[in-house]
Amino acid sequence: LLLTVALLRTAGESVPDSCLGRLRQMTQALVWLSRPDGSLRLFNDSANGIAPPADDLFASARAVLGAEPERRSGAFSLPGTGFRGLVSEDQKTRLVVDAGEPAPRYQPGHAHCGLLSFELDWSGRSVIVDSGVHGYDGDPYREYVRSTRAHNTVSVGGSEQSEVWATFRVARRARLVSATSGTDEDGFHFSGSYRPYHDRRCLHTREIDLAGGTLAVSDRVTGSAGKRVVSYLHFHPGFAVELEGHVGQASCADLSVQVELRGFDRIQVVRGSTDPVQGWFCPEFGKAMPASVIEMTIDSNDQREFGYVLRMGSA
């Protein structure tokens, strides 16, 4: 679109202010949905190495729109997409939450089962990540990357959030019920809920709080009594994850994350499994890297509260 505007101007055509305003909004959204190094958040069918890098697009925006988007800090919300989150003043700590229904509504074939999932960067390092996308038609990871288990969210009764199959097929869809976010003197707070396609009486509610070096996630599933509930937490491939009881330790070269788990019957770490496919990070088409995911299971849903706390510190 930026190129189109440049060509129109070269041809002596005028461009409506409303169009330029939309382009400014789009480039500002890219600031929130990319990292300082220009790589993308991997929600839905996002993949690095396909479109021009974010820095190139920002340079184009400067040439076409007269200014680059602002590198703002604080809480943000993109109502048209559902994405909400927080950027620290130094730009190095970033939380992005996916609170949007499968979209666009007329053709959501690039959507994944990632409602209420999130990505977390801490001190400039990717910590909690989306699994990304590996390929399309006939790709061995296609079913996996679209599935609920490939995201930092919760599955109920072994079913997906939305009815997805084949390469781009989507039928009945998860329905967002609520989503709010913001900051106060205690930090950043997110609260949201949705109903999965397979049981409209079921309601998954999630609260996320980020303050200082601590991220707390609290979940509850009402309805679907007796169904198996599984929560997933995907770490960047650079982290090694170990469990001892209901406490985990995720470590990389310069960062250590303590993981406190509560409310679960069974917990395990999976990395690079092929049967079923689980524990893979796909930052680009054709690239799959083994990555640790903590699977936390409630065998029979009794509407209890469950969740985890991440405490960041130096390795």
Side-chain angles (χ1 to χ4, degrees), residues 5-254:
V5 170
L7 291 173
L8 286 171
R9 285 175 170 170
T10 300
E13 299 289 341
S14 62
V15 179
D17 288 341
S18 59
C19 176
L20 298 177
R22 289 293 187 183
L23 282 171
R24 292 188 182 95
Q25 289 179 319
M26 292 168 68
T27 52
Q28 186 63 56
L30 182 59
V31 173
W32 303 132
L33 299 180
S34 61
R35 295 184 173 87
D37 65 2
S39 61
L40 298 174
R41 299 290 162 193
L42 297 179
F43 297 108
N44 301 308
D45 273 350
S46 298
N48 291 303
I50 303 300
D55 286 346
D56 289 356
L57 293 173
F58 294 147
S60 297
R62 182 175 62 248
V64 173
L65 302 174
E68 290 189 22
E70 298 179 46
R71 306 278 180 166
R72 303 174 188 169
S73 61
F76 69 87
S77 175
L78 300 171
T81 67
F83 292 110
R84 298 168 177 265
L86 178 77
V87 178
S88 64
E89 288 189 15
D90 63 6
Q91 301 288 310
K92 292 183 177 180
T93 295
R94 297 173 176 233
L95 173 68
V96 183
V97 182
D98 184 355
E101 294 181 352
R105 294 184 63 86
Y106 58 84
Q107 171 45 295
H110 289 287
H112 292 188
C113 295
L115 252 175
L116 305 190
S117 183
F118 65 94
E119 285 200 337
L120 173 68
D121 297 349
W122 187 262
S123 296
R125 178 177 289 279
S126 296
V127 180
I128 305 300
V129 295
D130 191 278
S131 294
V133 59
H134 186 269
Y136 290 149
D137 195 28
D139 188 88
Y141 293 92
R142 184 60 179 163
E143 180 273 334
Y144 169 66
V145 299
R146 299 180 79 201
S147 70
T148 307
R149 71 183 186 277
H151 301 84
N152 302 299
T153 188
V154 172
S155 70
V156 180
S159 297
E160 305 294 357
Q161 291 182 343
S162 295
E163 191 174 22
V164 297
W165 76 100
T167 305
F168 298 112
R169 293 292 191 179
V170 182
R172 293 170 291 176
R173 306 162 197 182
R175 293 178 182 171
L176 184 70
V177 174
S178 65
T180 60
S181 61
T183 56
D184 58 24
E185 63 274 10
D186 295 323
F188 173 81
H189 309 279
F190 167 83
S191 179
S193 61
Y194 80 93
R195 298 187 187 277
Y197 87 90
H198 56 87
D199 184 355
R200 296 305 189 192
R201 297 167 298 178
C202 175
L203 182 71
H204 173 206
T205 301
R206 165 165 282 189
E207 295 185 359
I208 302 176
D209 297 288
L210 177 62
T214 301
L215 177 80
V217 177
S218 179
D219 294 294
R220 190 186 300 273
V221 175
T222 55
S224 295
K227 297 289 184 65
R228 185 177 78 255
V229 173
V230 186
S231 180
Y232 306 93
L233 187 61
H234 294 258
F235 284 84
H236 186 272
F239 283 84
V241 180
E242 297 181 350
L243 282 179
E244 185 173 340
H246 281 64
V247 177
Q249 195 74 28
S251 303
C252 67
D254 57 354

